Amino acid sequence: MGRTRPPTTTRHSSGTHPALTRRRPAAMHTPSEPDLRHHGDAEVRGAGAELTDLAVNVRAGTPPVWLRERIAASLDGLAAYPDGRAARRAVAARHGLPEERVLLTAGAAEAFVLIARALRVRRPVVVHPQFTEPEAALRDAGHQVERVLLDEADGFRLDPRAVPGDADLVVVGNPTNPTSVLHPARDLARLARPGRTLVVDEAFMDAVPGETESLASVTDLPGLIVLRSLTKTWGLAGLRIGYVLASPGTIARLERAQPLWPVSSPALAAAEACSAPPALAEAERAARRLADDRTYLAAAVGQFEGVRVHGPAAGPFLLIRVRGAAAVRGRLRGLGFAVRRGDTFPGLGPDYLRLAVRDRATTDRFAEALGKALAEGLAEG
């Protein structure tokens, strides 16, 4: 479709909606145009075992033994082409949906590409700060993307009125990466309307106790597409498994854009296993432990002067703001900890870091390192 044009941006703050402003192309990666292709794994890639990883949001200690065994058992059938019917039935049953409303994908990231390429889109809008891959996929497909930037002063909360009324594709995360904000389902539902596709990225929803505010099982909102990932809670980032929940017509269009056999047999085995009632119960227990560990992390980090913890948080990560975050991140790396830079997310600046939630012993070690990193900065200043 040719070269994409620069995105336009609406900054939303306290109910006001200033005029659209132009930004430079993302390929330039200037301070005003973040690198949409930077992800947390870049913070630890090639670092070896000496870094404790707080940059990637995959749950530590996963996949569990029982899941490893299920995946290993699937290897006996590698000579056969993948058959996704059982996994599709399991995912549908897990959400109380008919099978024709489910599409299995090679991680949620594939779903963003399918949406960008398979659906006719005239005015796509991405609500930021959020995971950058949806915008990158849309721009790669030749679309001009508009941004609605949520404001820190409002707690990065969504006001549906900030989204242009004639946007025919709207993408929003819930809970949102990297802000950890959980938007009320009623606010998201206000974005749905005939003639519009509403994409809600629920990649981290299974980390929310009770999955409150989820739209995964909703079937009466026009144009709704819900994306899910199994890679975060179950430690399957290297296996690539996720799925799309949408109307049968939308599922059929997206499926036609997929290559043959897009999901491997081991990934299908994982999808089926992780959708079973025992796995759902385990995920719920993990979500409740994570909520406690997140509270502990927020208190440990928030004790330091000059560090602001954004909350209330609902995801398996925290967004913090600290002056000179890039230097702090570098010092933390020297002290054995990798954290995620925040300046590659549209709507955030150079003073943000994202921290994955870990166990309390790890948090204690991290808090000690953070104290040293901040003290070193004061000494240098």
Side-chain angles (χ1 to χ4, degrees):
M1 296 185 185
R3 190 184 182 95
T4 59
R5 289 172 288 175
T8 58
T9 303
T10 300
R11 182 172 292 277
H12 170 56
S13 177
S14 304
T16 61
H17 312 296
L20 296 177
T21 59
R22 290 285 178 181
R23 292 191 171 194
R24 285 178 279 184
M28 298 176 67
H29 305 324
T30 65
S32 63
E33 192 50 57
D35 177 6
L36 301 180
R37 294 299 190 186
H38 183 90
H39 299 299
D41 61 320
E43 311 284 355
V44 294
R45 191 181 298 123
E50 68 273 11
L51 283 181
T52 298
D53 179 12
L54 273 68
V56 177
N57 291 321
V58 174
R59 183 164 63 102
T62 53
V65 173
W66 64 265
L67 182 53
R68 292 174 185 264
E69 292 174 347
R70 286 288 296 272
I71 294 171
S74 73
L75 300 181
D76 292 337
L78 286 185
Y81 285 96
D83 183 348
R85 289 176 295 179
R88 193 171 188 173
R89 285 194 299 270
V91 171
R94 179 251 195 273
H95 292 289
L97 297 171
E99 294 173 40
E100 58 268 25
R101 295 187 70 94
V102 176
L103 181 66
L104 301 171
T105 58
E110 186 202 6
F112 296 128
V113 174
L114 296 176
I115 290 167
R117 295 180 179 178
L119 303 184
R120 293 186 176 181
V121 178
R122 178 183 51 81
R123 189 179 183 185
V125 171
V126 179
V127 179
H128 285 289
Q130 78 151 357
F131 184 49
T132 55
E133 204 59 36
E135 179 174 327
L138 285 163
R139 296 173 69 177
D140 287 347
H143 299 290
Q144 181 183 13
V145 180
E146 297 179 41
R147 297 170 179 167
V148 170
L149 302 183
L150 304 184
D151 198 277
E152 178 184 8
D154 297 330
F156 297 111
R157 291 188 297 269
L158 172 70
D159 182 345
R161 296 172 298 176
V163 176
D166 61 345
D168 60 350
L169 174 70
V170 179
V171 185
V172 61
N174 203 39
T176 303
N177 172 20
T179 63
S180 210
V181 170
L182 183 66
H183 302 295
R186 64 179 180 276
D187 289 344
L188 296 174
R190 288 173 57 191
L191 292 174
R193 61 191 61 183
R196 169 184 289 176
T197 298
L198 171 61
V199 180
V200 182
D201 176 11
E202 293 190 359
F204 294 100
M205 187 61 79
D206 58 357
V208 177
E211 296 194 1
T212 56
E213 313 305 337
S214 174
L215 295 177
S217 299
V218 173
T219 60
D220 59 353
L221 288 179
L224 176 65
I225 297 178
V226 174
L227 307 183
R228 285 293 187 108
S229 171
L230 296 173
T231 65
K232 312 298 192 288
T233 287
W234 297 111
L236 300 175
L239 197 61
R240 312 308 306 140
I241 179 64
Y243 53 89
V244 180
L245 307 173
S247 69
T250 298
I251 293 295
R253 286 192 292 275
L254 298 179
E255 190 170 20
R256 285 194 293 270
Q258 279 185 312
L260 293 174
W261 311 291
V263 181
S264 70
S265 295
L268 293 171
E272 184 177 0
C274 293
S275 298
L280 299 181
E282 181 175 329
E284 177 67 15
R285 292 192 296 271
R288 295 187 182 280
R289 287 194 302 270
L290 184 143
D292 291 339
D293 289 341
R294 184 180 58 237
T295 299
Y296 190 82
L297 174 61
V301 173
Q303 68 178 304
F304 295 106
E305 184 178 355
V307 176
R308 177 178 180 183
V309 180
H310 287 277
F317 43 85
L318 287 178
L319 181 69
I320 68 170
R321 186 170 188 175
V322 55
R323 182 174 296 179
V328 172
R329 182 168 62 95
R331 296 188 200 104
L332 285 171
R333 191 174 184 86
L335 294 167
F337 288 88
V339 299
R340 171 67 158 89
R341 61 190 291 185
D343 60 344
T344 64
F345 293 98
L348 299 184
D351 292 338
Y352 291 89
L353 298 171
R354 191 192 68 194
L355 312 176
V357 176
R358 301 295 186 232
D359 61 86
R360 296 190 178 197
T362 301
T363 291
D364 288 340
R365 292 192 298 109
F366 174 73
E368 182 179 358
L370 179 60
K372 292 180 180 178
L374 294 172
E376 288 176 12
L378 290 174
E380 292 174 2

